[in-house]
Structures are given as structure tokens and as C-alpha cells.
Amino acid sequence: MKMLKQAGLAAVIAAAMTTGIAYAKASADDAAKLGVSGTPLTPLGAERAGNAAGTIPAWTGGVTQPPAGYKVGMHHPDPFAGDKATLTITAANHQQYAEQLTTGQMAMFAKYPDWKMVVYPTRRSASNPQRTYEMTIKNATTGELVGAGDGVANVTEGVPFPILAADPAIAGAQAVWNHKLKYKGVSLQRWANQAPVTANGTFSLVRIKEELLGLYYKPNATLADINNVLVYFYQEVVSPPRLAGQVLLVHETLNSQIGPRQAWVYNPGQRRVRRAPNIAYDNPGTASDNLRTTDMTDMFNGALDRYEWKYVGKKEMYVPYNSYKAHSSDSKIADLVKPGYINPDYLRYELHRVHVVEANVKPGQRHINPKRMFYIDEDSWQILVIDHFDGQGKLWRYSEAPSVNYYEVPVFWSTLETHHDLKSGRYLAVGLDNEDKMYDFSFQTTPDMFSVQSLRQRGFQ
């Protein structure tokens, strides 16, 4: 009987995924431009060629082999450790580079005279497994947005829209879905420690352990097989003692109109599990001291339905990239976290082409950030930078995601996220795992471990 019910639910979801307004399959001719080599576009849809100035090189496959001496479980050694800085952008000279900087970056220079961006040679290091490339190329001619962009249909495993639609209103949502569905491995266990930093630089480190399971990325899984769940997510606060024992369980969905995100929390004081429908949109993130909204996790996650998405175009921008020094186990948290910002000597910026997407809240909807500007890496679809605006249209927050290639997978993904409140001078640093174990992409788990019953059992331990 249980199997029949599951089969029935899968059939309903499969049917729902293909109903409503559908947008934007790429043509076979356009899809033929995608490939691992010899094509104008990379398998994920980036321009293979470098730029005319020679400051952005051609993509030649990214990092496909780890540096000598690397063993799985290490914080990843820098494959570009010998690179020398080519430029340092400071408060004194940043106006010269305004065309390649975001509004948020310009504001950081204005607020923090000692902040700097140390720029290195551009290394197009992003890479993915061969199967991700193959499935992305297949998705190009089948993938569709459904509803009003609230879900995707006829895709599996890979990036859903490697070739964006010509219509900016469609392409903007597609680009954000590409970030949401970028390959991150099937399952993962990690430390996601965060520091809410005051204006004078004081902080209390919040140690957070997380587990993720993404059946979307499992070979041969279909949308019907995964019953509309994109990612199962488990998060437990380990310390400090006043926060320890708080647990969050999330079932993140592929189509919010079929079924919105489901979330539950365990409160150790009450020793009970309860539904948490407010774990969405602009509610405060876990132990973030109101410096991050729930949908700022992984730079952006959750439903797209409160915004109108507009694709602005592609630009060459200075963005955080190949930030292996900030990622290193040799780098101590106390040395990284400074008043106002992460120590710039531990960060690396490069000139890359990025997709620019503007999000504006729909009429009748609300969000504490009515406007956001997203800057998305063309090689990986990782959101690297976001500018967040307040209800008066003024810049409020600046977010960035220093990223590295986890080359045992391989996948290019953030190692840190920093969210800066430019009004108060406070910021939140997320992903401070330098003094803990590295991400474990070999972690084995099942959907049963992300059930409400499992949450109760874990919470009472």
C-alpha cells in the first residue's frame, strides 16, 4: 500500500511538473554549441574563448587534477600558490575600476578606507564531473520553467538551462535556477561555522554541523523519483552552549507551486519538534543575529515567486575567486575575522565574466530586500556577489562568496560567505571551517535520515 501511495504521488508530481506555462527550451542548433572541447561554449554554457584584451583566458577544462600531495579530507591546497598579484584596488584608486565593480563593492571602499581587493591572474578553474556535462547538454533542449518560473520540468542531474532564453524576464529566472541546481555532489556532511561580527570586530563563533542529500544529482533519478524534493537539509548548532542543540530540518522543493518548502525545528529547551513555515524568504537565518535572511543561505535558495527576475547581461567584473588561502587549515579564524570585513590578505579577486540578474519584488509581495542584484559566474553558475537594497532603494547589504574548486568531486563552490550590513558596520561570516574537518562528499545517507521521526530521535539524544 505504501509503495502504491508513493507511486501515485510521483505520478501527480510528474504531471504537475509538465502543466502550466512552460518556457524556453534551447534549439538543437544552439545546444550543438555546447561541449567539453572544440565548441564555442563550454558544457555549462560559458564562452569558451578568452576576452579580446587577453585578461580573461580561454576555458580549457578547469582544474581536473589535484596538486601533488593532496589527499581526500585535506583542506584543498592552492593549485595557484605561485601566482603574484597584478593589481590592488583600494579606496584611493577604486574609481578607476568602477565599470568592473558592483555598487556594493564601491560602497565597501567608501565605508572602510582600509578595505582592499587584491587581484590575481584570472584562472578559469571551475570544473564538474563528466556526467554533469553530459546531462547539462541534454537538459538544454528539454528543460523548461513552469508556472511563473516557480519550478523546472524535463531536466535531471545537470544544470537546467545552459543556454539562457532571449527574453530577459525568462533568462533571469533561468540563471538563478542554474545556481540552485548546480552540481554539489549527491550527499555531503560539513561544518558551516559562522561568526556574527560586531562593528568593533568582536564575535562568538557559532559551530554548526550540516548534512545534505540531493537526489536530483543521483544518476538516473527522474523528477518523479524525487517527489519534488531538491535537497534534504539537516542543520545542528553545536556551540556556544546557549544555542547548542537547536536543530533545523528542511525539505527544499523543486516547484514551490506543487509543494512549498517544508521545515521543522527542534528546540532543546522544549524538547519538541514543531513545523516551521517561517523558515523561508526574509525570516532571519539560524543564529545569524539578523545579518542573513533564510533565502541568503548558499547566497540564494528557496522559492523565486516573490520577485520578478530580469537578465541584465554579461559583464567583466572583479569577483572573489580561487580563495584557497581563506579556505586553508593553516589560516586561523582569529586571523581571518577582522572589524568590518574578512582580512583582505586572505582573499583573492579575479576578473571574470558574470551574468548580471536584477530581482525586484512583485506588486503585492513583500521582502526586506525589495531589490537585489546578482552576479553569477559564467563557468560554474555560482553566485559570487549580491547587492541588496532596502525599501527606499538604497544599498543596504553586500554579500560575496569566496569560492574554490573542490577537486576531488570536482565542483566549484563557495568556501566562505560574507554578508555585510553597510548601515551598522556589522557582518556575518559563514563557512569558517578552517579549524574543523573538511567537507565530506563521500558521506552516505538516505531520505529516511531526514524524516521528522529521525529529527525527533536525533534531538532527544
Side-chain angles (χ1 to χ4, degrees):
M1 182 62 69
K2 182 179 179 181
M3 291 180 65
L4 288 173
K5 288 182 178 179
Q6 289 176 336
L9 177 61
V12 169
I13 290 173
M17 283 289 193
T18 58
T19 60
I21 302 171
Y23 303 101
K25 297 176 185 177
S27 69
D29 287 344
D30 281 340
K33 299 174 184 177
L34 302 167
V36 177
S37 62
T39 52
L41 303 179
T42 73
L44 301 192
E47 296 175 53
R48 183 181 303 278
N51 64 357
T55 49
I56 297 176
W59 184 81
T60 57
V63 175
T64 57
Q65 296 291 331
Y70 168 75
K71 295 181 180 179
V72 173
M74 295 173 60
H75 285 67
H76 302 72
D78 186 354
F80 313 116
D83 286 354
K84 304 297 182 184
T86 59
L87 168 69
T88 299
I89 305 175
T90 67
N93 67 3
H94 73 283
Q95 293 289 350
Q96 300 175 39
Y97 306 99
E99 284 299 310
Q100 289 80 41
L101 299 173
T102 78
T103 302
Q105 290 168 337
M106 297 288 284
M108 288 287 288
F109 286 116
K111 187 171 184 65
Y112 302 111
D114 293 330
W115 190 61
K116 62 184 178 181
M117 298 169 64
V118 184
V119 179
Y120 288 81
T122 298
R123 300 286 193 168
R124 296 180 68 179
S125 57
S127 59
N128 276 263
Q130 179 63 30
R131 184 171 179 85
T132 300
Y133 293 151
E134 294 169 359
M135 300 309 293
T136 296
I137 293 170
K138 288 183 179 180
N139 288 342
T141 55
T142 62
E144 297 175 310
L145 290 176
V146 294
D150 302 315
V152 295
N154 304 318
V155 296
T156 185
E157 298 186 51
V159 168
F161 308 111
I163 298 176
L164 300 178
D167 185 339
I170 299 173
Q174 286 179 324
V176 174
W177 271 109
N178 286 349
H179 167 79
K180 286 184 57 175
L181 269 63
K182 69 189 289 288
Y183 184 72
K184 307 175 186 71
V186 176
S187 59
L188 167 69
Q189 188 177 66
R190 68 180 180 184
W191 288 96
N193 305 331
Q194 61 186 31
V197 187
T198 66
N200 65 10
T202 61
F203 67 93
S204 177
L205 185 70
V206 182
R207 297 186 69 237
I208 298 175
K209 181 174 282 189
E210 296 180 345
E211 297 173 5
L212 296 87
L213 173 62
L215 294 184
Y216 174 83
Y217 312 107
K218 186 176 180 180
N220 300 313
T222 67
L223 295 187
D225 292 334
I226 66 178
N227 288 337
N228 197 35
V229 179
L230 169 60
V231 173
Y232 296 93
F233 175 75
Y234 173 89
Q235 180 187 73
E236 179 181 357
V237 179
V238 176
S239 66
R242 63 184 175 84
L243 300 174
Q246 295 183 25
V247 180
L248 169 66
L249 174 66
V250 175
H251 295 180
E252 180 65 51
T253 57
L254 271 165
N255 188 323
S256 62
Q257 296 303 308
I258 293 172
R261 164 189 285 172
Q262 298 183 70
W264 300 263
V265 294
Y266 171 75
N267 185 306
Q270 299 174 345
R271 293 182 64 82
R272 62 187 292 264
V273 173
R274 61 179 177 84
R275 287 292 298 268
N278 60 331
I279 304 295
Y281 301 111
D282 55 358
N283 287 92
T286 301
S288 66
D289 201 19
N290 292 315
L291 289 166
R292 173 179 64 81
T293 59
T294 295
D295 64 5
M296 287 163 68
T297 301
D298 195 23
M299 296 300 277
F300 182 84
N301 79 100
L304 280 69
D305 58 345
R306 290 195 179 180
Y307 287 99
E308 293 174 341
W309 302 88
K310 178 184 176 182
Y311 184 74
V312 177
K314 192 183 287 189
K315 286 189 67 176
E316 295 181 5
M317 309 284 289
Y318 289 110
V319 289
Y321 220 93
N322 293 314
S323 302
Y324 288 94
K325 191 171 183 180
H327 173 81
S328 173
S329 57
D330 293 332
S331 300
K332 303 306 178 186
I333 293 172
D335 296 325
L336 283 166
V337 178
K338 298 299 179 184
Y341 43 78
I342 293 293
N343 187 337
D345 292 331
Y346 287 80
L347 297 177
R348 172 179 174 134
Y349 294 84
E350 298 179 3
L351 185 68
H352 282 262
R353 289 184 292 241
V354 297
H355 300 281
V356 184
V357 175
E358 179 177 335
N360 289 284
V361 166
K362 293 178 179 178
Q365 297 282 4
R366 62 162 300 279
H367 195 287
I368 63 170
N369 298 123
K371 176 183 175 181
R372 287 158 145 169
M373 297 296 296
F374 294 81
Y375 300 87
I376 308 173
D377 178 33
E378 71 162 343
D379 286 334
S380 65
W381 296 103
Q382 170 67 43
I383 297 173
L384 294 172
V385 172
I386 310 173
D387 294 336
H388 311 261
F389 297 81
D390 65 16
Q392 287 71 49
K394 297 179 180 179
L395 183 71
W396 179 7
R397 288 171 167 158
Y398 168 72
S399 299
E400 67 175 27
S403 300
V404 300
N405 190 315
Y406 298 82
Y407 31 70
E408 77 274 30
V409 182
V411 62
F412 188 82
W413 197 10
S414 59
T415 181
L416 278 178
E417 294 176 18
T418 58
H419 306 289
H420 300 261
D421 184 331
L422 291 163
K423 296 180 180 180
S424 69
R426 299 185 303 145
Y427 73 101
L428 182 74
V430 183
L432 295 165
D433 60 359
N434 307 71
E435 298 169 38
D436 281 297
K437 291 181 179 179
M438 181 35 46
Y439 290 19
D440 181 4
F441 291 97
S442 66
F443 175 68
Q444 297 295 309
T445 188
T446 65
D448 289 344
M449 291 300 295
F450 297 87
S451 68
V452 177
Q453 183 58 37
S454 176
L455 176 57
R456 290 191 179 99
Q457 293 171 349
R458 294 202 208 193
F460 291 134
Q461 288 176 359

